[in-house]
Amino acid sequence: MNTIQMRSAPMPDCGTVLPADAAHTLIPEGLRDRPALSLKELLRVIPVGRSKAYKLMKEDPTFPKGVPLYDGENSPKFYWTHEAIAWLQGRAAKIGANRGGL
């Protein structure tokens, strides 16, 4: 198994439409009950690379917003788990609507 397969959550077949609660099942078991995630953990929930995540942060206004841990320009951020789940569900609904589903 390569590194990408180990870090990424299994993704559904792109041709299938996800039910509204399916995004929750894609979250790794150890992260489901956590209220907040680090960037590294967020990338396990939303299985994209770091550079793609930064691009989404700039371009997609619905992408989960990071909350700084302390005041300062270089403060690490945390991300709310429920926002990550909502973003995944929104993406699933958007893709489903574009394909004639949902």
Side-chain angles (χ1 to χ4, degrees):
M1 182 179 292
N2 66 30
T3 305
I4 294 172
Q5 290 171 329
M6 291 186 331
R7 292 189 332 195
S8 298
M11 293 301 295
D13 177 22
C14 292
T16 61
V17 177
L18 294 175
D21 62 345
H24 187 72
T25 62
L26 296 176
I27 297 176
E29 186 71 34
L31 300 178
R32 288 185 188 163
D33 298 326
R34 305 255 330 256
L37 305 166
S38 66
L39 178 61
K40 187 175 182 177
E41 293 166 336
L42 178 71
L43 297 179
R44 289 181 57 205
V45 172
I46 300 173
V48 298
R50 187 176 292 265
S51 61
K52 181 64 176 181
Y54 286 130
K55 186 175 180 179
L56 287 168
M57 287 175 193
K58 283 184 177 182
E59 296 174 358
D60 186 352
T62 63
F63 194 78
K65 305 291 183 240
V67 179
L69 290 175
Y70 52 84
D71 293 335
E73 195 173 306
N74 296 323
S75 171
K77 295 181 179 167
F78 69 87
Y79 301 84
W80 295 113
T81 305
H82 71 275
E83 287 182 5
I85 293 169
W87 186 82
L88 284 171
Q89 289 172 335
R91 293 297 301 161
K94 182 178 178 181
I95 297 299
N98 288 342
R99 294 195 178 146
L102 294 181

